[in-house]
Structures are given as C-alpha cells and as structure tokens.
Amino acid sequence: MTPKNHAPKLPAQQLAILAVARFAEPLSYTSVFPYLPEMISSFGVERKEVAKWAGITSSVFSLAQSLTAVFWGRASDRFGRKPVIMTGLLCTMLCFLVWGVSTSLPMAITVRALMGAGNGNVGIIRTMVAEMVTEKELQPKAFSVMPLVWSVGSVFGPAFGGLFAKPAEQWPGVFGNSTFFKKYPFAFPNLIGSIFFMISLSTAMLFLKETLQSKRHSRDWGLVLGERIKDAFREHSPKRRAQRLRRYSLQDDEIAAPLLSGTAPSKTARATVIETKAEKPKPLPISAVFSRQTTINLIAYTFLALHAVAYDQVLPVFLNYPPQAHTPENTTFPFIFSGGFGLNHAHIGAIFAAEGVLSGFVQFLIFPVLCKRFGVLRCFKTCVIVFPLVYAVTPFVVLIEPTLLRYVALGLILMIKTFAVIVGFPCTTILLTNSAASLSILGTLNGFATTFSALGRATGPALTGSVFTWGVKHGVIGVPWWLLACIATLGAVPAYMVVEGDGPSGAVTPVDSDDEDEDEEGDIDDDNVDDDEDTLIVVEPRPQEASFAECSRNTSTSYGTVTN
C-alpha cells in the first residue's frame, strides 16, 4: 500500500485521548484546595497551625512525585508508554478515593504522598506527544495542548471541589440523612472525580496507541476491543454499506470466473519467504541523558517551575491579607511598606478563573503564531526576561490609592505574567525535547524533568511562604516577590545558554493520523505477523504450465499480496 502524499497534520484523536488523561491530574491536585483548611481543622489541628500543615500536605504531593518520576520514565522506556500511563491513572484514582475518607492528618499526608508517587504521567504524556508529532512546524501547536488542559483543569478543579464538599450541609434535603457523608464530608467530590478517572482509563485502554518504537507493533488487546466497539457503531454507516456491496460484487465476479484462464501465462511463480529478525535498539545508559544541552534545559526548566508555581501559591495569601493605610510612620519608599487586598476566597477564585480563561486564549490562539513567527528559542528568552520584572513590581500595587486603578494595575500585571507562563512552559518543553540525543532516552529525560520541576514546585511555595511570614512581621511585604525576582533573574542565565536542537534521532515514523486509520481499516489482517520479524517475499518466475493458484490470481481481484 502506497502512502498518501499530503501535508503532515496532528494526530487529533490520539492527542484528545492524552488530553483526557492529562485532565485527571490537575483535577486531583487542585480540587482539594478549597476545602483543605477545613479538612485539616476537622482533624483537630489548631487554627494557627492550619496554614502550615496545609502547605505541607500540598507540597508532599510534588515531593513524592519528584522522587518517583525517573522510575516511571525508565519503566515507560522499557515496558511502553501506554501501560505506565494507565497504571498512573489507576493509582491516582484509588488514592483520590481514599483521600476523601481520611480521618487523621497522618493518613491524609500519607495518601497525598502516595498519590504523587504513583503518578508519573506528566513526563510520559509529554514524551508521547513528542513521539507522535515529529514535524517541527507542528510542535508548537501539539505542545500547547497539554498545558491548555492543565489550565482548564486548574480552573475546573477548585470550583469542582468547593461545590461538592460537605454535601450533607449544602444539600440537606438530598444528603442530610446520609450517615456516610456526615462521617466523611469531603468524600463526595472524590467520588464524582473518580468518574473522570474511569473515563480516562477506558479511553486510554481502548483507543490509545503505543508510541514507543520497540513496542509500537506489539499486539494490544485493548486496541482490538476498541476497534470492535468502533466497528459495531460503524456497521450501519453509509461507507461500511458501500464496502460490503463492493465486496459482494467482487465475490460474484470470482464465482463466475473460469477455473483456467485462456490468457494465463505459461509460467508459474515461486514465492520464497525470507524472515529476518529486526534488531532491537540497545537501551542507552543514564549518562547519555545528560548532554550539555539537556542539562542546561533541565536547569532552565527547574527554575521556571520553581518561581512560576511559587508566585501562584503566594498570590492568594497576598490578596487575602488585609489592606493597610500607608502613613509616613509605616511606609518608607521603596521597600518598607505592607498591606494586601483583603479579598475573600470567592473573589480570589474569580481572579484565578479569569486567569484560566486568558491562559486558554493565549495558549490555543496566540502561542502557535508567535512560535511560528519568531521561533521557540526567541520566545522563551523573551519570557525569562519578563518574569523578574513582573515579580519585582507586583507588591507595589498596594501603594496605589485609587481602588479602581489598583485593581487595573493588578489585572495588567497578572495578564503579563500569565502570558509569559503560557508561552514559556511549552517553549522550554519543546527545547528540552529537541535536545534529546535519541527517542530511546526521551521517556527517561522527561522523567528527570518531572523530578526537577516537582522539586521546584515543592521548594518554591515553602520558601516564599516562610519569607512572606517574615516580611509581614517586619513590615516588608514585598520580600517574597523580590526574592522571586532574584530567582527568576538567576534562571534567565541558563536560558540564554540554550541552543535549539534538531530533535531526537530514531524518530522513524510518527503515529498514524486519524484519517489514515480510517482509510486502511480492514485492508490488512496482521494478526499472524510476528512483531519482532520483518517478512520479505521474493518472487522467482519459472517457465511451467499455469497452475491453479496462478490462474486464480489472474481472475480474482478480491485478494491481494500483503507485505510487511
């Protein structure tokens, strides 16, 4: 079968399946934020200690994830991407359910740690996108899909958790008599959230294709079942009816044809089947992962994860902190001043929701155009310069006296910061992927990237939280922001040492597009083809009388030669 001549395009169906799997993690990670302080208080923790334990409970997820990410990456390089992703989804779903029925602080922290340790899907999904989309012109759009899903999940997660927590109190007419929900008031959002995990598991098992080159052609019973399910729905489609009519017409021609054709040549052909074992690529050592450029990219990625996530973590505390009248006694420009915005959780949630909408707009519509026009590396270098400037000016908005102008300034700063984050993260992902020496180490490389970024996500919030407390006590509320500005400035140094690579070698063929799957459906039956063998059919003509097999081949058009 000859390949089609068409421009490369994204495997939309496969990316959609990965997006469903990616959506599950921000849901489980962020849906606990609205009710986490109340949950910790229900364990008997003193009010003044709730914030500290809430931070520990949140950071332990990222810390545990950083410790196991490389293990999951190595496992995906050995056993395949698909089974590891499904394992991560299953582990996260089970821990998510247990989390909802936690009855003590040690149990909650342990479950949260297990939830992070059992999920290394971030790096593996990124690896699958890189293996699916090998064309550089399509990479910006492909790599913007998963961060977009994270943005949507980060907005949907807190709203979802806040809405369904404590159902016996929120809907007493429906759940007021439920002993279970009275005993476990935070279980309901986790039970509903498990539905999303089941959908992710089901779609991955039935329709997700393996992208690891050494496992790509292995028999996948999940895909077989998925094809049968799709065939059942397609059975009555007009295209399928036309195929059946054409098959029946060909069979009628074959029945009416004579056994021996008068035009058959007076020779037969002898087919010699030669089977050769395909040499499997040898796994590269860990040292092959850390080339100069991959190391630089990992450092830049770690800095970005540290200061960007730390900003998002300390911003709600800043917005919630009560405002303060600035007088010559408590304010000495440019550093000695304090005060916040005094916003409650509803207003802060609305700000993050608006930020999520802007993130989706930038990621889906603006980011691909920018990368195509200016290049990935140039966009990334611009973003790392923007971050320290945004961080440095953030605390000064509290000094603006007119309320409307203060909120306009805050909104402008958050818009610029959101734009830089949404462009910066996909850019560094693309640069990191293209710095890999081979596809065989890509899963391990992304595992290390997940490890380092998780360490940054665990360290940054804890650091800025402690500094924020110190700054409030000493009347210098800008200290955490200026600390982040220094960290971002330091993180810009490796960014300007990055050289854009040509991409990993070994990218033999990208994942088939969805249209090709439909066109080739039912044409080839490869059930009996050995996954580890290449089959070559050599035809050697010899002058003899026409055989029955030769005449049948000349008179029938319903069967053909299949080569592997």
Side-chain angles (χ1 to χ4, degrees), residues 422-447:
I422 296 305
V423 174
F425 269 106
C427 283
T428 188
T429 300
I430 295 172
L431 293 171
L432 179 64
T433 299
N434 290 337
S435 70
S438 171
L439 279 178
S440 62
I441 64 169
L442 196 54
T444 303
L445 175 61
N446 280 317

Side-chain angles (χ1 to χ4, degrees), residues 59-105:
S59 62
V60 74
F61 179 96
S62 298
L63 182 61
Q65 192 176 50
S66 70
L67 296 177
T68 60
V70 176
F71 164 78
W72 290 116
R74 297 287 285 180
S76 73
D77 285 339
R78 180 176 181 181
F79 302 107
R81 319 296 187 203
K82 179 175 177 177
V84 175
I85 283 182
M86 292 181 61
T87 302
L89 287 172
L90 180 61
C91 292
T92 307
M93 182 184 71
L94 294 177
C95 292
F96 195 50
L97 290 172
V98 177
W99 162 266
V101 296
S102 298
T103 56
S104 66
L105 183 60

Side-chain angles (χ1 to χ4, degrees), residues 88 92 208 223 273 298 410 502 530:
T92 307
L208 183 62
L223 287 179
V273 179
L298 283 173
L410 176 66
D502 297 326
D530 191 345

Side-chain angles (χ1 to χ4, degrees), residues 14-15 17-25 76 81 84-85 89 119-132 142-143 145-147 149 208 211 429 443 446 450:
Q14 293 297 298
L15 288 176
I17 296 171
L18 286 180
V20 174
R22 186 70 178 94
F23 181 80
E25 184 180 357
S76 73
R81 319 296 187 203
V84 175
I85 283 182
L89 287 172
N119 190 342
N121 286 353
V122 179
I124 300 172
I125 288 177
R126 189 183 301 131
T127 301
M128 292 192 73
V129 173
E131 291 171 333
M132 288 178 181
F143 278 103
V145 173
M146 300 308 151
V149 173
L208 183 62
T211 59
T429 300
N446 280 317
T450 303

Side-chain angles (χ1 to χ4, degrees), residues 220-406:
D220 189 333
W221 293 105
L223 287 179
V224 172
L225 179 59
E227 286 298 325
R228 296 199 177 176
I229 293 175
K230 288 195 292 186
D231 287 343
F233 283 99
R234 293 192 189 119
E235 192 63 31
H236 302 289
S237 65
K239 183 178 180 180
R240 182 55 59 89
R241 285 198 296 268
Q243 288 177 347
R244 286 201 300 267
L245 290 174
R246 184 169 66 252
R247 189 183 304 118
Y248 294 152
S249 175
L250 293 174
Q251 290 176 352
D252 292 341
D253 292 342
E254 183 179 347
I255 294 173
L259 289 178
L260 297 176
S261 173
T263 61
S266 59
K267 63 180 181 179
T268 61
R270 181 181 64 195
T272 303
V273 179
I274 303 174
E275 294 183 352
T276 59
K277 282 283 183 180
E279 184 179 353
K280 293 184 178 181
K282 296 181 179 179
L284 297 178
I286 288 288
S287 58
V289 176
F290 295 102
S291 66
R292 183 176 186 273
Q293 278 303 308
T294 56
T295 303
I296 293 174
N297 275 280
L298 283 173
I299 294 173
Y301 182 55
T302 303
F303 271 103
L304 178 58
L306 190 155
H307 62 71
V309 174
Y311 185 97
D312 290 337
Q313 290 289 337
V314 77
L315 180 63
V317 182
F318 176 61
L319 296 177
N320 181 254
Y321 193 76
Q324 176 179 306
H326 299 100
T327 64
E329 289 75 19
N330 61 22
T331 303
T332 303
F333 192 80
F335 300 118
I336 308 300
F337 62 91
S338 189
F341 282 78
L343 301 180
N344 59 26
H345 68 280
H347 294 104
I348 295 174
I351 290 175
F352 275 95
E355 195 175 357
V357 173
L358 177 63
S359 300
F361 174 77
V362 172
Q363 200 134 49
F364 198 69
L365 298 179
I366 299 179
F367 169 70
V369 178
L370 284 178
C371 284
K372 185 176 181 180
R373 174 67 177 83
F374 299 103
V376 175
L377 183 58
R378 188 177 298 176
C379 289
F380 181 58
K381 289 181 177 180
T382 303
C383 290
V384 298
I385 293 298
V386 170
F387 284 119
L389 299 177
V390 169
Y391 298 162
V393 302
T394 296
F396 290 103
V397 296
V398 299
L399 297 176
I400 301 176
E401 294 300 331
T403 303
L404 179 60
L405 187 59
R406 185 188 312 138

